[in-house]
Amino acid sequence: MTKPVTRTRIQRKNIALISEAALSVFSTYGFRGSTVDQIAREANLSKPNLLYYFPSKEAIHGHLLSTLMETWLAPLQDMKDDGEPLEEILTYMRRKLQMSRDHPRESRLFANEIVQGAPRIIEMLETELKDLVDEKAKVIEGWMDDGRLAKSDPYHLIFSIWSLTQHYADFDVQVRAVLGPENDDPFPAAERYLTTLFTRLLAP
Amino acid sequence: MTKPVTRTRIQRKNIALISEAALSVFSTYGFRGSTVDQIAREANLSKPNLLYYFPSKEAIHGHLLSTLMETWLAPLQDMKDDGEPLEEILTYMRRKLQMSRDHPRESRLFANEIVQGAPRIIEMLETELKDLVDEKAKVIEGWMDDGRLAKSDPYHLIFSIWSLTQHYADFDVQVRAVLGPENDDPFPAAERYLTTLFTRLLAP
DNA sequence: GTCTATAAAATGATAGAC
DNA sequence: GTCTATCATTTTATAGAC
């Protein structure tokens, strides 16, 4: 698929530098709201030098999205049929919550893209993501049919894990504004709350 | 606060036209990603004519945000101390879900603003919104202390209602992509799922 | 109130020297 | 590989006729 490339140390370094800078900028302003100038400044490169490594603004954004996609899907892929059902769900939820805490920019990059209609990843959502969710929804449904998990809609269950965990990255400023400056880290309380929520919802 | 204005019919009509168009455009592209040209085209006005009614792009955006804010807070304000606790919470959740279904552009306008750091409404979040949530969290905590609602964190309970309901507006394309074209309206199933979720979480 | 024309700044991208 | 200079477009906003 992707053509094999041999890159020099300096190429690897600059591509990493640009990716890092672009992640910060795109996740904060969205695709159309971001400028190549901003990214170049953030990466400490001149604009033409940045465009020596990527042919266009669109290319940088596409590179980020496809690179991050597999990281993003990994936690759901790792939810295994043969585990203890409630523990599998709780582990998935906790991993997603950790990603919100440790990689909020990645979360906001996707949030920006999807809120704005997902023009650049809609196809991937309809194929890769849908297939993965279909598969895992079947697993969850099996658990419910076996009486190992209380019944509820498996698709909306997955949506609820996404929305509840990503909220702490995507709406971080609002969460902090409401909790006030005295509560600096909302994540420990969030984890306790979400554990209770999914346990009460799903315990058989 | 706002200076009282007497507007002609034509002024009211055009301001409404511009607001409507701007809501569509800003909610889809965010502030920086939107152009005055787009809004003018959408409103069937020339760009200078649009700028005759609003002094700048920023002014249109600000007008929208402050106009919509009270609509946005109304459902939480209406949650009353003297009702049946679980019903009050479920009613609030359902009203929020209805807003996601009936006013998705408003939801996405705020989502865009907050994901991008809420530069234009952060102050309002730290005052009006925080005060309202503080007040309602106290009410909920009272219900829990009286044993009329199972205990859990009232702040994160409110966050969870926001994230779960707004998800169906803000991430609409993703929800539809995953459910596939055969499931055209996700809201009925969402309402059943969320009713189950909050009932199991909160029933004493 | 509405329009055409246009100024002034920003932005994406390229040319070409080193 | 990196830079300065620059082009072509887009974009916000204004001038001024009607």
mmCIF file of all heavy atoms in Angstrom, chain B residues 34-36 47-48 56-57, chain D residues 10-16:
data_model
loop_
_atom_site.group_PDB
_atom_site.id
_atom_site.type_symbol
_atom_site.label_atom_id
_atom_site.label_comp_id
_atom_site.label_asym_id
_atom_site.label_seq_id
_atom_site.Cartn_x
_atom_site.Cartn_y
_atom_site.Cartn_z
ATOM 1 N N SER B 34 -14.921 29.638 8.635
ATOM 2 C CA SER B 34 -16.048 30.204 7.887
ATOM 3 C C SER B 34 -15.662 31.529 7.250
ATOM 4 O O SER B 34 -14.821 32.251 7.768
ATOM 5 C CB SER B 34 -17.235 30.432 8.826
ATOM 6 O OG SER B 34 -17.624 29.217 9.441
ATOM 7 N N THR B 35 -16.302 31.857 6.129
ATOM 8 C CA THR B 35 -16.034 33.147 5.499
ATOM 9 C C THR B 35 -17.331 33.944 5.381
ATOM 10 O O THR B 35 -18.413 33.378 5.286
ATOM 11 C CB THR B 35 -15.419 32.977 4.096
ATOM 12 O OG1 THR B 35 -16.432 32.517 3.202
ATOM 13 C CG2 THR B 35 -14.261 32.002 4.114
ATOM 14 N N VAL B 36 -17.165 35.254 5.395
ATOM 15 C CA VAL B 36 -18.303 36.153 5.257
ATOM 16 C C VAL B 36 -19.002 35.907 3.919
ATOM 17 O O VAL B 36 -20.228 35.956 3.821
ATOM 18 C CB VAL B 36 -17.844 37.618 5.360
ATOM 19 C CG1 VAL B 36 -19.008 38.568 5.151
ATOM 20 C CG2 VAL B 36 -17.196 37.866 6.714
ATOM 21 N N LYS B 47 -22.135 40.604 -0.042
ATOM 22 C CA LYS B 47 -21.255 40.724 1.113
ATOM 23 C C LYS B 47 -21.329 42.117 1.748
ATOM 24 O O LYS B 47 -21.469 42.232 2.969
ATOM 25 C CB LYS B 47 -19.829 40.357 0.708
ATOM 26 C CG LYS B 47 -18.903 40.125 1.856
ATOM 27 C CD LYS B 47 -17.663 39.309 1.488
ATOM 28 C CE LYS B 47 -17.013 39.720 0.193
ATOM 29 N NZ LYS B 47 -15.622 39.192 0.109
ATOM 30 N N PRO B 48 -21.247 43.198 0.956
ATOM 31 C CA PRO B 48 -21.362 44.531 1.582
ATOM 32 C C PRO B 48 -22.714 44.739 2.255
ATOM 33 O O PRO B 48 -22.802 45.413 3.285
ATOM 34 C CB PRO B 48 -21.190 45.494 0.403
ATOM 35 C CG PRO B 48 -20.452 44.715 -0.621
ATOM 36 C CD PRO B 48 -20.917 43.295 -0.475
ATOM 37 N N SER B 56 -18.877 43.194 11.488
ATOM 38 C CA SER B 56 -17.774 42.289 11.187
ATOM 39 C C SER B 56 -18.207 40.834 11.335
ATOM 40 O O SER B 56 -19.258 40.534 11.904
ATOM 41 C CB SER B 56 -16.603 42.547 12.127
ATOM 42 O OG SER B 56 -16.955 42.149 13.439
ATOM 43 N N LYS B 57 -17.393 39.953 10.840
ATOM 44 C CA LYS B 57 -17.608 38.518 10.994
ATOM 45 C C LYS B 57 -17.708 38.159 12.478
ATOM 46 O O LYS B 57 -18.587 37.400 12.891
ATOM 47 C CB LYS B 57 -16.435 37.789 10.319
ATOM 48 C CG LYS B 57 -16.392 36.285 10.494
ATOM 49 C CD LYS B 57 -15.171 35.733 9.753
ATOM 50 C CE LYS B 57 -14.792 34.348 10.233
ATOM 51 N NZ LYS B 57 -13.603 33.803 9.519
ATOM 52 P P DT D 10 -9.445 31.643 -5.427
ATOM 53 O OP1 DT D 10 -9.974 30.262 -5.514
ATOM 54 O OP2 DT D 10 -10.017 32.731 -6.255
ATOM 55 O "O5'" DT D 10 -9.508 32.094 -3.898
ATOM 56 C "C5'" DT D 10 -8.676 31.435 -2.962
ATOM 57 C "C4'" DT D 10 -8.776 32.127 -1.620
ATOM 58 O "O4'" DT D 10 -8.032 33.360 -1.616
ATOM 59 C "C3'" DT D 10 -10.198 32.491 -1.182
ATOM 60 O "O3'" DT D 10 -10.319 31.954 0.124
ATOM 61 C "C2'" DT D 10 -10.229 34.013 -1.235
ATOM 62 C "C1'" DT D 10 -8.769 34.361 -0.969
ATOM 63 N N1 DT D 10 -8.204 35.653 -1.487
ATOM 64 C C2 DT D 10 -7.512 36.477 -0.623
ATOM 65 O O2 DT D 10 -7.363 36.225 0.560
ATOM 66 N N3 DT D 10 -6.990 37.609 -1.212
ATOM 67 C C4 DT D 10 -7.087 37.986 -2.526
ATOM 68 O O4 DT D 10 -6.567 39.015 -2.920
ATOM 69 C C5 DT D 10 -7.826 37.090 -3.372
ATOM 70 C C7 DT D 10 -7.989 37.418 -4.821
ATOM 71 C C6 DT D 10 -8.346 35.973 -2.824
ATOM 72 P P DT D 11 -11.657 31.979 0.962
ATOM 73 O OP1 DT D 11 -11.568 30.868 1.923
ATOM 74 O OP2 DT D 11 -12.786 32.080 0.027
ATOM 75 O "O5'" DT D 11 -11.553 33.350 1.756
ATOM 76 C "C5'" DT D 11 -10.543 33.495 2.749
ATOM 77 C "C4'" DT D 11 -10.598 34.908 3.291
ATOM 78 O "O4'" DT D 11 -10.040 35.823 2.327
ATOM 79 C "C3'" DT D 11 -12.024 35.425 3.556
ATOM 80 O "O3'" DT D 11 -12.135 35.727 4.929
ATOM 81 C "C2'" DT D 11 -12.164 36.661 2.669
ATOM 82 C "C1'" DT D 11 -10.717 37.053 2.448
ATOM 83 N N1 DT D 11 -10.433 37.849 1.211
ATOM 84 C C2 DT D 11 -9.634 38.956 1.326
ATOM 85 O O2 DT D 11 -9.141 39.330 2.373
ATOM 86 N N3 DT D 11 -9.418 39.634 0.148
ATOM 87 C C4 DT D 11 -9.924 39.320 -1.104
ATOM 88 O O4 DT D 11 -9.657 40.001 -2.089
ATOM 89 C C5 DT D 11 -10.767 38.140 -1.139
ATOM 90 C C7 DT D 11 -11.378 37.702 -2.450
ATOM 91 C C6 DT D 11 -10.974 37.470 0.001
ATOM 92 P P DT D 12 -13.527 36.077 5.611
ATOM 93 O OP1 DT D 12 -13.676 35.153 6.745
ATOM 94 O OP2 DT D 12 -14.568 36.141 4.565
ATOM 95 O "O5'" DT D 12 -13.283 37.546 6.158
ATOM 96 C "C5'" DT D 12 -12.163 37.797 7.006
ATOM 97 C "C4'" DT D 12 -11.921 39.277 7.069
ATOM 98 O "O4'" DT D 12 -11.543 39.739 5.758
ATOM 99 C "C3'" DT D 12 -13.150 40.100 7.458
ATOM 100 O "O3'" DT D 12 -12.821 40.898 8.593
ATOM 101 C "C2'" DT D 12 -13.481 40.932 6.216
ATOM 102 C "C1'" DT D 12 -12.148 40.977 5.493
ATOM 103 N N1 DT D 12 -12.230 41.127 4.010
ATOM 104 C C2 DT D 12 -11.535 42.149 3.380
ATOM 105 O O2 DT D 12 -10.850 42.962 3.989
ATOM 106 N N3 DT D 12 -11.666 42.189 2.015
ATOM 107 C C4 DT D 12 -12.412 41.338 1.232
ATOM 108 O O4 DT D 12 -12.453 41.474 0.021
ATOM 109 C C5 DT D 12 -13.111 40.289 1.952
ATOM 110 C C7 DT D 12 -13.957 39.301 1.185
ATOM 111 C C6 DT D 12 -12.991 40.233 3.292
ATOM 112 P P DA D 13 -13.978 41.796 9.290
ATOM 113 O OP1 DA D 13 -13.476 42.145 10.632
ATOM 114 O OP2 DA D 13 -15.288 41.116 9.145
ATOM 115 O "O5'" DA D 13 -13.986 43.113 8.414
ATOM 116 C "C5'" DA D 13 -12.760 43.847 8.280
ATOM 117 C "C4'" DA D 13 -12.928 44.906 7.217
ATOM 118 O "O4'" DA D 13 -13.074 44.293 5.926
ATOM 119 C "C3'" DA D 13 -14.161 45.787 7.384
ATOM 120 O "O3'" DA D 13 -13.723 47.063 7.830
ATOM 121 C "C2'" DA D 13 -14.796 45.839 5.982
ATOM 122 C "C1'" DA D 13 -13.715 45.232 5.100
ATOM 123 N N9 DA D 13 -14.215 44.521 3.928
ATOM 124 C C8 DA D 13 -14.981 43.397 3.899
ATOM 125 N N7 DA D 13 -15.286 42.987 2.679
ATOM 126 C C5 DA D 13 -14.676 43.925 1.853
ATOM 127 C C6 DA D 13 -14.608 44.063 0.458
ATOM 128 N N6 DA D 13 -15.205 43.224 -0.392
ATOM 129 N N1 DA D 13 -13.913 45.117 -0.036
ATOM 130 C C2 DA D 13 -13.322 45.960 0.823
ATOM 131 N N3 DA D 13 -13.314 45.928 2.152
ATOM 132 C C4 DA D 13 -14.011 44.879 2.603
ATOM 133 P P DT D 14 -14.771 48.254 8.019
ATOM 134 O OP1 DT D 14 -14.233 49.117 9.074
ATOM 135 O OP2 DT D 14 -16.132 47.714 8.082
ATOM 136 O "O5'" DT D 14 -14.607 49.041 6.637
ATOM 137 C "C5'" DT D 14 -13.295 49.459 6.244
ATOM 138 C "C4'" DT D 14 -13.363 50.211 4.937
ATOM 139 O "O4'" DT D 14 -13.783 49.303 3.894
ATOM 140 C "C3'" DT D 14 -14.351 51.375 4.902
ATOM 141 O "O3'" DT D 14 -13.638 52.520 4.437
ATOM 142 C "C2'" DT D 14 -15.436 50.925 3.921
ATOM 143 C "C1'" DT D 14 -14.658 49.975 3.029
ATOM 144 N N1 DT D 14 -15.461 48.931 2.343
ATOM 145 C C2 DT D 14 -15.408 48.846 0.967
ATOM 146 O O2 DT D 14 -14.755 49.598 0.265
ATOM 147 N N3 DT D 14 -16.168 47.829 0.432
ATOM 148 C C4 DT D 14 -16.959 46.917 1.133
ATOM 149 O O4 DT D 14 -17.590 46.063 0.541
ATOM 150 C C5 DT D 14 -16.956 47.075 2.564
ATOM 151 C C7 DT D 14 -17.771 46.142 3.413
ATOM 152 C C6 DT D 14 -16.216 48.059 3.100
ATOM 153 P P DA D 15 -14.388 53.965 4.430
ATOM 154 O OP1 DA D 15 -13.472 54.881 5.130
ATOM 155 O OP2 DA D 15 -15.776 53.805 4.894
ATOM 156 O "O5'" DA D 15 -14.427 54.356 2.883
ATOM 157 C "C5'" DA D 15 -13.570 53.691 1.949
ATOM 158 C "C4'" DA D 15 -13.802 54.274 0.571
ATOM 159 O "O4'" DA D 15 -14.505 53.290 -0.239
ATOM 160 C "C3'" DA D 15 -14.665 55.531 0.512
ATOM 161 O "O3'" DA D 15 -14.210 56.331 -0.580
ATOM 162 C "C2'" DA D 15 -16.073 54.979 0.308
ATOM 163 C "C1'" DA D 15 -15.802 53.753 -0.565
ATOM 164 N N9 DA D 15 -16.723 52.630 -0.335
ATOM 165 C C8 DA D 15 -17.199 52.161 0.858
ATOM 166 N N7 DA D 15 -17.996 51.131 0.748
ATOM 167 C C5 DA D 15 -18.043 50.886 -0.620
ATOM 168 C C6 DA D 15 -18.720 49.922 -1.388
ATOM 169 N N6 DA D 15 -19.507 48.986 -0.855
ATOM 170 N N1 DA D 15 -18.567 49.969 -2.726
ATOM 171 C C2 DA D 15 -17.770 50.913 -3.258
ATOM 172 N N3 DA D 15 -17.080 51.869 -2.634
ATOM 173 C C4 DA D 15 -17.269 51.807 -1.301
ATOM 174 P P DG D 16 -14.850 57.787 -0.812
ATOM 175 O OP1 DG D 16 -13.805 58.582 -1.485
ATOM 176 O OP2 DG D 16 -15.448 58.267 0.451
ATOM 177 O "O5'" DG D 16 -16.008 57.501 -1.862
ATOM 178 C "C5'" DG D 16 -15.712 56.777 -3.054
ATOM 179 C "C4'" DG D 16 -17.001 56.513 -3.795
ATOM 180 O "O4'" DG D 16 -17.672 55.352 -3.238
ATOM 181 C "C3'" DG D 16 -18.016 57.657 -3.706
ATOM 182 O "O3'" DG D 16 -18.684 57.714 -4.948
ATOM 183 C "C2'" DG D 16 -18.954 57.192 -2.614
ATOM 184 C "C1'" DG D 16 -19.014 55.715 -2.975
ATOM 185 N N9 DG D 16 -19.562 54.824 -1.973
ATOM 186 C C8 DG D 16 -19.565 54.931 -0.605
ATOM 187 N N7 DG D 16 -20.156 53.934 0.004
ATOM 188 C C5 DG D 16 -20.584 53.121 -1.028
ATOM 189 C C6 DG D 16 -21.288 51.901 -1.005
ATOM 190 O O6 DG D 16 -21.686 51.278 -0.022
ATOM 191 N N1 DG D 16 -21.507 51.404 -2.301
ATOM 192 C C2 DG D 16 -21.103 52.016 -3.459
ATOM 193 N N2 DG D 16 -21.405 51.408 -4.599
ATOM 194 N N3 DG D 16 -20.439 53.166 -3.496
ATOM 195 C C4 DG D 16 -20.220 53.649 -2.255
#
